[in-house]
Amino acid sequence: MKYIPVAAHRGNIDGYPENTLPAFRSAYEIEADMIELDLHMTKDREIVVIHDDRLDRTTDSTGRIRDLTLAEIKKADAGIKKDPKFACVRIPTFREFLDLTKAMDNAGHTRMTFNFEFKDYFREGEDWAKESCDRTIALIEEYGLEDRCVVNSFDGKLLAYVQEKWNGRFKLHGFHPYSILGETYPLPMYCVCLFDEGKDSAGQSCQVGGAEIFDAVKADGCQTWLGAGVRLEEHVKMGCERGADLYTSNEPAKLMEMLKRLGYREGEWTL
C-alpha cells in the first residue's frame, strides 16, 4: 500500500467558509497534505483568493472581481453565508494567504503543499490572464514556494504559457478528458484531475473513471488525482485500487480517516 495525500478543497470547508483564512488555518490544524485555492486579479491588479469571478455566491455583495478594486472587495462579507458566527470574515489577498503559510511554517506545522488554481483565462482576455498569472507567480517566487506547489488551470493556453515562460520550472496540473483544457494542453503535465464518469459495483454513476483511463493518463507521465465529487468509501476505495495518487476533498478530515481505514495513510509523501 502507499500513502495517498489529501488536499483541502478551498481550505477546510467542512466547517469554515470557503477560500478564507479560517478555512486555510484549519487545513493546517487537521494536518491536510495540501491546500487548494483559487486566484483572480482585481481592477487595481491585486491577486485575491476567491473561486467565482463574481462576489454573488459566496458573499453578501455583488459584482465581478475584475471590475472591482481591492478596497471594494474587502467590504464584502465572505463568512456570513456559511454561518452567522463567521460574519465579517473577508476575502483574503493572495499575499495575506502567503503570510499565513509563513506563520504556520514558523509555528512548526507540517510542511504544507499547495494547489494554486489560476482563474483568469485567456478566452476572457489574453493580456489580462497573462498579467494575473505573472503577478501570481511573482508572489509564489517571493515566498519561495515554487517547489511546494502545482499550477492549476482549466485553460490549456495558460498552462502552456507558464510552461514556456518559466522554462518548465513549475509542476502543471491539468484535467481529463484533456478536451476540458481546450485545443492547447501541454504534456506531460505533473498531475491530472480525472473528471471522467464511471460506474460503481451497483452500476451507479460515480466520478471514478475506468481503470483504462488511469492507465492511459499514467502512460502520459501524469499522476492521477481525484476531485471533491468522490466521497463515498466504496468510490474512494475503487480509486485507490485503480491508482489514484491524491484526493481533493470538501471534507478533508473525514477523507483522511477513510484512507487510514483502507490502509492508504502509511509511509511518506512528497510533492
Side-chain angles (χ1 to χ4, degrees):
M1 294 250 183
K2 65 180 180 180
Y3 184 98
I4 298 182
V6 172
H9 190 220
R10 308 176 197 173
N12 181 18
I13 64 172
D14 192 23
Y16 297 86
E18 67 175 66
N19 277 324
T20 63
L21 295 183
F24 298 137
R25 186 177 293 107
S26 178
Y28 270 92
E29 291 167 349
I30 65 172
E31 298 185 341
D33 302 285
M34 176 178 280
I35 293 173
E36 186 271 353
L37 66 152
D38 308 282
L39 301 163
H40 286 274
M41 187 167 69
T42 68
K43 182 179 180 180
D44 49 350
R45 272 49 179 186
E46 296 287 345
I47 305 300
V48 292
V49 185
I50 184 171
H51 178 272
D52 300 359
D53 65 352
R54 299 185 60 87
L55 296 173
D56 303 47
R57 179 180 63 85
T58 57
T59 82
D60 64 347
S61 300
T62 187
R64 194 180 184 203
I65 302 302
R66 67 164 61 191
D67 296 332
L68 300 170
T69 66
L70 177 61
E72 291 169 325
I73 287 169
K74 281 294 189 180
K75 294 177 182 177
D77 190 322
I80 197 165
K81 283 190 173 180
K82 178 71 173 182
D83 192 292
K85 69 183 180 181
F86 295 117
C88 298
V89 170
R90 304 300 171 187
I91 294 170
T93 65
F94 189 36
R95 183 177 291 279
E96 286 171 333
F97 169 80
L98 294 171
D99 284 339
L100 173 66
T101 70
K102 187 175 181 180
M104 299 304 272
D105 282 351
N106 291 339
H109 286 271
T110 301
R111 187 174 183 269
M112 185 65 70
T113 59
F114 308 100
N115 180 350
F116 296 132
E117 184 168 340
F118 292 50
K119 302 291 285 190
D120 289 321
Y121 302 141
F122 272 47
R123 63 177 177 269
E124 297 162 353
E126 182 174 327
D127 290 343
W128 183 273
K130 285 181 177 179
E131 182 177 354
S132 178
C133 176
D134 292 349
R135 289 178 179 273
T136 299
I137 287 185
L139 285 166
I140 293 170
E141 292 180 324
E142 179 183 336
Y143 282 78
L145 297 180
E146 302 97 313
D147 295 331
R148 293 170 61 180
C149 74
V150 296
V151 170
N152 173 1
S153 182
F154 282 90
D155 186 346
K157 290 182 179 179
L158 188 142
L159 292 178
Y161 172 72
V162 172
Q163 179 77 357
E164 180 177 356
K165 181 166 183 177
W166 283 274
N167 298 312
R169 285 177 51 216
F170 287 90
K171 300 177 178 70
L172 302 184
H173 173 299
F175 295 87
H176 194 275
Y178 295 135
S179 58
I180 292 172
L181 298 171
E183 296 178 356
T184 301
Y185 54 88
L187 281 173
M189 290 172 280
Y190 177 78
C191 56
V192 172
C193 188
L194 306 184
F195 276 11
D196 307 83
E197 287 292 332
K199 300 288 186 182
D200 63 19
S201 60
Q204 300 298 312
S205 294
C206 65
Q207 291 185 13
V208 181
E212 70 282 358
I213 295 171
F214 284 78
D215 292 344
V217 171
K218 287 181 182 295
D220 286 332
C222 306
Q223 289 191 12
T224 49
W225 292 12
L226 290 176
V230 182
R231 299 179 59 196
L232 299 179
E233 186 160 336
E234 177 188 351
H235 299 163
V236 171
K237 181 180 180 182
M238 184 190 310
C240 293
E241 292 172 346
R242 292 179 181 175
D245 293 301
L246 178 146
Y247 285 87
T248 300
S249 179
N250 293 336
E251 302 172 314
K254 296 175 184 176
L255 186 54
M256 287 188 290
E257 283 298 317
M258 192 180 299
L259 288 168
K260 185 177 180 179
R261 288 197 301 272
L262 293 170
Y264 289 97
R265 295 287 287 180
E266 299 294 332
E268 298 181 355
W269 174 79
T270 56
L271 183 64

